[in-house]
Amino acid sequence: MNNLSRTDITGTVLEIQRWSVSDGPGSRTVIFLKGCPLHCPWCANPESQDRRVQMAIFSTRCVRCGACVRECPENVAIPAAEGAFGTDNCTGCGNCIRSCHGGARSWMGEEMTAGEVVDLVKKDMVFYRKSSGGVTFSGGEPLTHPQFLGEIINRCMDLGIHTAVETCGYFDWKAAEKTIAMLDFIMFDLKHMDEATHKRLTGVSNRLILENILKISSFGIPMVIRIPVIPGVNDDEHNIRATAVFVRDHLPQAIGIEALAYHRLGVNKYQALGIEYPLGHIEPPSDSRMAALRKLITDTGVPSITADNDYDAQLVRSRLKSTPKHLTKDGPDNAQT
Amino acid sequence: MNTMAAERVTDRRQTPEPTVSGARRKALMEQFRKAKPAICMERTLAFTNSHKQTEGQPVILRRAKAFRAVCESITVRIFDHELVVGTLGNGHRLGVLCPEMSWSWLKEEIDTITSRKAEPYQFTDENKKLFVEEIVPYWRGQSLEEFCLERMPEDHKNIGIGTGIMDTEMKWRSGVGEITPDHQDILFVKGYSGIKNEALDQLRQLDNLSRENQEKRDFYRSMIEIAEAMITLGKRYSTLAESLAENCSDPVRKKELLTIARTCSNVPANAPASFIEGLQMVFFVQLGCLLAESSPAFNVGRFDQFMFPLYQADIEAGRLDRAEALEQIECLWIKLSEIFWLLTENGAKYYAGYCGFQNLTLGGRKRNGRDATNEVSYLALEATANVGLHQPSVSVSIHPETPDEFLIEVCRLARRGNGMPAIHNDIIATQMMMYKGLPPDQARDWNGLGCVVPSTRKVSEWTYAGQYNMAACLEWALNRGKSRKTGQQFGLETKDPATFTSFDDLLESFYGQVKKLIKTGYETTIIQQLVHQESVPRPFFSAMVEGCMESGKDLTRGGAKYNAGPGWVVVGCADTANGLAAIKKIVFDQKKTTMAELCSALDNNFEGFEELRQLLVNSPKFGNDDDYVDNLQVELADFSDREFRQYRDVLGLPFHSAIMGLTFNIPTGNSLGALPCGRFAGVPLAEGSSPHPGTDISGPTACIKSLGKMNHENQPGGTLLNLKFLPKAVEGERGLYGLSALIRAYFELGGYHVQFNVVDARKLLDAQLHPEKYGSFVVRVAGYCAIFTECTKEVQNEIIRRTEHCAL
């Protein structure tokens, strides 16, 4: 916890959400970092894609007091009720946000130091202790911020806080390698096994992703593979089975596959950003469809992880059995028993 | 983590197929649903007629004889399918009027009682006539209410009646209630025959008739009347069951009726000898409580503790299997749901929902400090899930060695969305009981009372003497003691707020107002305690609390082995803390406005001051793990404790404070103008020690951290935290572990009580619009549960308004 000896690196944090039971083992604080190399049309956090800080507008909170108009040095601000004013002449001074009485505008994203992030994470220590929980880094793609992330994880290690990431797998291995080695748990997304389809859906090839997942696997960190199930997009049986086979044959460290049903809870965020929601026509998959896909996974010989078979217990067991990597990093192997 | 197996009993019979189908439960629930709550005059009439014949006798003896007359004459009924029997008259859901406590309210409401908005009751014309012609003339000038009001000074009445500022109606219009029968050491050991024999013995031992002994003699004679009354009630049911059996053509039902006959011939006269007899004993005692003084909070107590030995014996002897035991418990649960506390229209605003507040506690520790969870604890949770009605109010007591398995079952029940059970921290409850004056082993044997109060069968107390509106004190500090709504001078004429130059100036005026209001509350309680001692002694209850038989003294005179001082409930604590924090921040730290402008905004209910209101709304709010405001909340709660603690009641015991709930926050909010936290005039206040609805926006852990900063152990009348979750946030086994970890964490932080409403706001809105679709859809109101569609619209809105926590 020696803050003085370390440079306090900053990063762009989108949001810090306290208490989640579905982003890793136990109760977790989730740190959303901004910036993602993928652009999936089903993304529930569109505000996380751009690495820059953005402005969100909540028109219903606007009281039309005109404070933003008065305070804007460039004369571009208009009451939030009338919508966004574009970024052409905006210098991003933030006067309109600070002067707003109703909180109708806010920055999406904030420059924070690693120390500030850890101070917030520390607030929920008692909840991690009671649930074998910890902190989860999400995004955006957290591993595109390897230094910032590394610094936070380092400090968490000092405090004995369990760390996890949710990653899309698309990142520079060399830059992220050391940071990954310090992690306790990884949730890795495999959105599609076919390279061309993957590129069509997300904007990037899956080659780097598959390379990275094999490298991560060699580290021996417990891992869950996640498939966001988007009806008509990637939920064909062929893709699900291909994913399961890949996991079975190449990822011995994975404790299973978690199929996550597509949901539309991000719709409001698209509105706040002033973008049209790209998947307006797709309905979330039915419970029976999800059950069928999960059966496909287990039939392939890979455990299916759901909200019902908590991976917590498995993880706690695995943690008890093997000494976490980071505890042995400076000492000889098996120095004590 | 402790996964030590609790006391579990294996079902020896190993029945290949379930012996019980659930059909009985369905049939009984159907009967319950069809029955409309009604006012019954049987007890009222018998009680009154007895009093006509006992003029001039000692009050305690008159009350005991009247009780006996009631038990000898009220209708006894056994309904189809029932295994546990007993009614308060001729019907299912009957409200008992106690005219010796108060009759005037019913006279005033006689034309509206069947149609009023909150909790209407059926009341036949015949009964109305009887009430006006027979009951009212006899009790005019003779009721608790009239005695209390006659003694209360005008000032106390002006501020304490129907104002939403202070309320003690429950103690001047109703019996005390708030008691737990000592099943473990008295009723399940000796029955009422044993009580009668002890009283006879004590009478024999009185060697001279000194003044003191004369009083004892009156007391013991009363005990004998009470015991005879209960024994008679049991015998009448036994006789009825026998005659019903004789005429019953269905051999299965005939056998059941004969069992009922046998059961009622043994209890409540003697100690119960089987599981079903234990259940029947519990229900007879609950009926006795209601017939003695129709009040709230007659608690069942630690059900799993006193029922387990009977369960174990029956199972081991092969007389009972687990499924049968479960069905029998369900039968008791449905009977307990029939019981409710007859309310005035004003009362219905505070305690909405046809509720009896019969608390029943599971889990916890034994007196030796070891875990007390057993098989009956699990059965009781299961029965609660199966029945899904609003009674009994199931509380669970959780300590570090509570098996995880039990806590998970508790969470599973909580997640059903009915708001049961109330989850309590055993360690803090024990500390609260010690603060009330009990030794550690007695304190550990605590049980829940009413909504969320820790109490025990060994103690006599007024856990809820009244409640006061702390936010009113803030209003007065900002308006020189005047109500913003009515202009009345309720508080002290403190300094003009425009002249405040520091936050301390504000605090000084504010605390001055609180001190004065608390003093008024204390004085009001003393008056009421004196009147209770003189006019409504409690012979029925004295028979079931240790110490009275030994001392020959009634509960109201301090006869119990342990007595605790009266508790007063703080309402609007979070609104006050938020208001103070907002002023501190906006006026004194940031100097964005002046006291004068702020007061003018409050005077105008923020009309024309929306910009200022937004500044206030966006200042720190309790419930977000922000010390800026959380420290104020802690200070307010501690102040309330210190202030009450200096006063002594009629038995010389210290008053104490509580921050719990019921639905006090609605009428108290209605009485106030705009508040500096940015809340508009008339809006309900925060509930118990919970954050103000909608202002805890940092997730449940932040909310729990804020609550955890408070010193719960010095609020021994209870604190209350309501957390609402969307079903999605707590789905799957993960959700259960998540909830259980939240509970463990809150309790490690020193929190006392938490309850969950796991229900989608959309479902609640739909139930509001289409009540017919939802039937007996039970939700947690505030420390207790009620049927959602039977709540007033205001209460329904309040439930909908609470912050939903959802992690997606």
mmCIF file of all heavy atoms in Angstrom, chain A residues 39-42 192 194-206 232-234:
data_model
loop_
_atom_site.group_PDB
_atom_site.id
_atom_site.type_symbol
_atom_site.label_atom_id
_atom_site.label_comp_id
_atom_site.label_asym_id
_atom_site.label_seq_id
_atom_site.Cartn_x
_atom_site.Cartn_y
_atom_site.Cartn_z
ATOM 1 N N HIS A 39 -16.662 -3.642 -32.424
ATOM 2 C CA HIS A 39 -17.881 -2.824 -32.466
ATOM 3 C C HIS A 39 -19.071 -3.728 -32.717
ATOM 4 O O HIS A 39 -19.594 -3.793 -33.824
ATOM 5 C CB HIS A 39 -17.757 -1.732 -33.533
ATOM 6 C CG HIS A 39 -16.684 -0.760 -33.197
ATOM 7 N ND1 HIS A 39 -16.817 0.202 -32.226
ATOM 8 C CD2 HIS A 39 -15.421 -0.637 -33.669
ATOM 9 C CE1 HIS A 39 -15.684 0.882 -32.109
ATOM 10 N NE2 HIS A 39 -14.823 0.390 -32.974
ATOM 11 N N CYS A 40 -19.480 -4.446 -31.686
ATOM 12 C CA CYS A 40 -20.566 -5.402 -31.847
ATOM 13 C C CYS A 40 -21.893 -4.646 -31.807
ATOM 14 O O CYS A 40 -22.104 -3.829 -30.916
ATOM 15 C CB CYS A 40 -20.530 -6.426 -30.715
ATOM 16 S SG CYS A 40 -18.904 -7.138 -30.461
ATOM 17 N N PRO A 41 -22.775 -4.946 -32.730
ATOM 18 C CA PRO A 41 -24.037 -4.196 -32.776
ATOM 19 C C PRO A 41 -24.947 -4.477 -31.578
ATOM 20 O O PRO A 41 -25.849 -3.692 -31.304
ATOM 21 C CB PRO A 41 -24.685 -4.664 -34.086
ATOM 22 C CG PRO A 41 -24.021 -5.952 -34.421
ATOM 23 C CD PRO A 41 -22.641 -5.892 -33.856
ATOM 24 N N TRP A 42 -24.695 -5.588 -30.857
ATOM 25 C CA TRP A 42 -25.548 -5.916 -29.707
ATOM 26 C C TRP A 42 -25.003 -5.325 -28.406
ATOM 27 O O TRP A 42 -25.524 -5.564 -27.341
ATOM 28 C CB TRP A 42 -25.670 -7.437 -29.562
ATOM 29 C CG TRP A 42 -24.334 -8.130 -29.415
ATOM 30 C CD1 TRP A 42 -23.599 -8.245 -28.277
ATOM 31 C CD2 TRP A 42 -23.586 -8.767 -30.433
ATOM 32 N NE1 TRP A 42 -22.439 -8.912 -28.513
ATOM 33 C CE2 TRP A 42 -22.388 -9.263 -29.849
ATOM 34 C CE3 TRP A 42 -23.789 -8.991 -31.816
ATOM 35 C CZ2 TRP A 42 -21.416 -9.945 -30.576
ATOM 36 C CZ3 TRP A 42 -22.811 -9.673 -32.524
ATOM 37 C CH2 TRP A 42 -21.640 -10.144 -31.917
ATOM 38 N N HIS A 192 -17.692 -15.585 -32.071
ATOM 39 C CA HIS A 192 -17.951 -16.469 -33.208
ATOM 40 C C HIS A 192 -16.666 -17.200 -33.570
ATOM 41 O O HIS A 192 -15.582 -16.633 -33.518
ATOM 42 C CB HIS A 192 -18.485 -15.689 -34.413
ATOM 43 C CG HIS A 192 -19.398 -16.529 -35.251
ATOM 44 N ND1 HIS A 192 -18.931 -17.551 -36.049
ATOM 45 C CD2 HIS A 192 -20.739 -16.528 -35.394
ATOM 46 C CE1 HIS A 192 -19.960 -18.134 -36.632
ATOM 47 N NE2 HIS A 192 -21.072 -17.538 -36.258
ATOM 48 N N ASP A 194 -16.045 -18.615 -36.570
ATOM 49 C CA ASP A 194 -15.686 -18.465 -37.986
ATOM 50 C C ASP A 194 -15.085 -17.080 -38.222
ATOM 51 O O ASP A 194 -15.673 -16.062 -37.859
ATOM 52 C CB ASP A 194 -16.950 -18.659 -38.836
ATOM 53 C CG ASP A 194 -16.653 -18.436 -40.308
ATOM 54 O OD1 ASP A 194 -15.925 -19.269 -40.879
ATOM 55 O OD2 ASP A 194 -17.104 -17.405 -40.853
ATOM 56 N N GLU A 195 -13.930 -17.069 -38.833
ATOM 57 C CA GLU A 195 -13.191 -15.806 -38.944
ATOM 58 C C GLU A 195 -13.941 -14.750 -39.746
ATOM 59 O O GLU A 195 -14.072 -13.600 -39.306
ATOM 60 C CB GLU A 195 -11.812 -16.056 -39.588
ATOM 61 C CG GLU A 195 -10.972 -14.802 -39.557
ATOM 62 C CD GLU A 195 -9.597 -14.992 -40.163
ATOM 63 O OE1 GLU A 195 -9.238 -16.140 -40.538
ATOM 64 O OE2 GLU A 195 -8.866 -13.989 -40.265
ATOM 65 N N ALA A 196 -14.483 -15.159 -40.891
ATOM 66 C CA ALA A 196 -15.166 -14.183 -41.750
ATOM 67 C C ALA A 196 -16.404 -13.618 -41.063
ATOM 68 O O ALA A 196 -16.643 -12.406 -41.065
ATOM 69 C CB ALA A 196 -15.556 -14.853 -43.066
ATOM 70 N N THR A 197 -17.163 -14.534 -40.444
ATOM 71 C CA THR A 197 -18.374 -14.063 -39.753
ATOM 72 C C THR A 197 -17.987 -13.139 -38.600
ATOM 73 O O THR A 197 -18.620 -12.113 -38.369
ATOM 74 C CB THR A 197 -19.174 -15.269 -39.198
ATOM 75 O OG1 THR A 197 -19.209 -16.278 -40.181
ATOM 76 C CG2 THR A 197 -20.572 -14.861 -38.800
ATOM 77 N N HIS A 198 -16.956 -13.518 -37.903
ATOM 78 C CA HIS A 198 -16.506 -12.700 -36.774
ATOM 79 C C HIS A 198 -16.170 -11.297 -37.252
ATOM 80 O O HIS A 198 -16.555 -10.300 -36.634
ATOM 81 C CB HIS A 198 -15.283 -13.343 -36.111
ATOM 82 C CG HIS A 198 -14.968 -12.769 -34.760
ATOM 83 N ND1 HIS A 198 -14.282 -11.598 -34.600
ATOM 84 C CD2 HIS A 198 -15.280 -13.206 -33.508
ATOM 85 C CE1 HIS A 198 -14.155 -11.326 -33.312
ATOM 86 N NE2 HIS A 198 -14.767 -12.294 -32.615
ATOM 87 N N LYS A 199 -15.500 -11.240 -38.372
ATOM 88 C CA LYS A 199 -15.096 -9.936 -38.898
ATOM 89 C C LYS A 199 -16.324 -9.114 -39.312
ATOM 90 O O LYS A 199 -16.419 -7.917 -39.027
ATOM 91 C CB LYS A 199 -14.159 -10.134 -40.090
ATOM 92 C CG LYS A 199 -13.654 -8.823 -40.639
ATOM 93 C CD LYS A 199 -12.290 -8.932 -41.263
ATOM 94 C CE LYS A 199 -11.793 -7.493 -41.428
ATOM 95 N NZ LYS A 199 -10.624 -7.350 -42.189
ATOM 96 N N ARG A 200 -17.266 -9.820 -39.914
ATOM 97 C CA ARG A 200 -18.481 -9.134 -40.359
ATOM 98 C C ARG A 200 -19.255 -8.588 -39.147
ATOM 99 O O ARG A 200 -19.771 -7.474 -39.159
ATOM 100 C CB ARG A 200 -19.351 -10.114 -41.160
ATOM 101 C CG ARG A 200 -20.615 -9.504 -41.748
ATOM 102 C CD ARG A 200 -21.234 -10.439 -42.805
ATOM 103 N NE ARG A 200 -21.437 -11.811 -42.322
ATOM 104 C CZ ARG A 200 -22.428 -12.179 -41.514
ATOM 105 N NH1 ARG A 200 -23.317 -11.303 -41.129
ATOM 106 N NH2 ARG A 200 -22.533 -13.431 -41.117
ATOM 107 N N LEU A 201 -19.312 -9.375 -38.083
ATOM 108 C CA LEU A 201 -20.114 -8.985 -36.928
ATOM 109 C C LEU A 201 -19.453 -7.904 -36.078
ATOM 110 O O LEU A 201 -20.103 -6.974 -35.620
ATOM 111 C CB LEU A 201 -20.384 -10.205 -36.029
ATOM 112 C CG LEU A 201 -21.311 -11.273 -36.581
ATOM 113 C CD1 LEU A 201 -21.372 -12.457 -35.624
ATOM 114 C CD2 LEU A 201 -22.715 -10.707 -36.799
ATOM 115 N N THR A 202 -18.155 -8.072 -35.844
ATOM 116 C CA THR A 202 -17.515 -7.219 -34.842
ATOM 117 C C THR A 202 -16.546 -6.216 -35.433
ATOM 118 O O THR A 202 -16.036 -5.352 -34.725
ATOM 119 C CB THR A 202 -16.720 -8.088 -33.846
ATOM 120 O OG1 THR A 202 -15.595 -8.648 -34.542
ATOM 121 C CG2 THR A 202 -17.560 -9.212 -33.278
ATOM 122 N N GLY A 203 -16.260 -6.382 -36.696
ATOM 123 C CA GLY A 203 -15.323 -5.461 -37.323
ATOM 124 C C GLY A 203 -13.886 -5.957 -37.320
ATOM 125 O O GLY A 203 -13.019 -5.347 -37.942
ATOM 126 N N VAL A 204 -13.615 -7.036 -36.571
ATOM 127 C CA VAL A 204 -12.239 -7.546 -36.550
ATOM 128 C C VAL A 204 -12.213 -9.067 -36.742
ATOM 129 O O VAL A 204 -13.196 -9.754 -36.447
ATOM 130 C CB VAL A 204 -11.501 -7.205 -35.225
ATOM 131 C CG1 VAL A 204 -11.464 -5.699 -34.990
ATOM 132 C CG2 VAL A 204 -12.147 -7.919 -34.048
ATOM 133 N N SER A 205 -11.083 -9.557 -37.167
ATOM 134 C CA SER A 205 -10.877 -11.008 -37.298
ATOM 135 C C SER A 205 -10.737 -11.626 -35.920
ATOM 136 O O SER A 205 -10.353 -10.951 -34.960
ATOM 137 C CB SER A 205 -9.600 -11.254 -38.109
ATOM 138 O OG SER A 205 -9.034 -12.500 -37.729
ATOM 139 N N ASN A 206 -11.038 -12.928 -35.814
ATOM 140 C CA ASN A 206 -10.898 -13.584 -34.506
ATOM 141 C C ASN A 206 -9.541 -14.261 -34.338
ATOM 142 O O ASN A 206 -9.306 -14.945 -33.355
ATOM 143 C CB ASN A 206 -12.039 -14.576 -34.275
ATOM 144 C CG ASN A 206 -12.012 -15.735 -35.257
ATOM 145 O OD1 ASN A 206 -11.116 -15.807 -36.109
ATOM 146 N ND2 ASN A 206 -12.979 -16.637 -35.144
ATOM 147 N N GLY A 232 -30.165 -15.421 -34.315
ATOM 148 C CA GLY A 232 -30.021 -15.137 -35.739
ATOM 149 C C GLY A 232 -28.656 -14.592 -36.113
ATOM 150 O O GLY A 232 -28.368 -14.372 -37.288
ATOM 151 N N VAL A 233 -27.813 -14.321 -35.127
ATOM 152 C CA VAL A 233 -26.513 -13.746 -35.415
ATOM 153 C C VAL A 233 -25.395 -14.774 -35.170
ATOM 154 O O VAL A 233 -24.594 -15.052 -36.048
ATOM 155 C CB VAL A 233 -26.280 -12.471 -34.569
ATOM 156 C CG1 VAL A 233 -24.857 -11.945 -34.764
ATOM 157 C CG2 VAL A 233 -27.303 -11.402 -34.940
ATOM 158 N N ASN A 234 -25.375 -15.340 -33.964
ATOM 159 C CA ASN A 234 -24.319 -16.321 -33.678
ATOM 160 C C ASN A 234 -24.839 -17.547 -32.929
ATOM 161 O O ASN A 234 -24.079 -18.277 -32.344
ATOM 162 C CB ASN A 234 -23.190 -15.665 -32.875
ATOM 163 C CG ASN A 234 -23.641 -15.314 -31.457
ATOM 164 O OD1 ASN A 234 -24.837 -15.324 -31.156
ATOM 165 N ND2 ASN A 234 -22.691 -15.017 -30.595
#
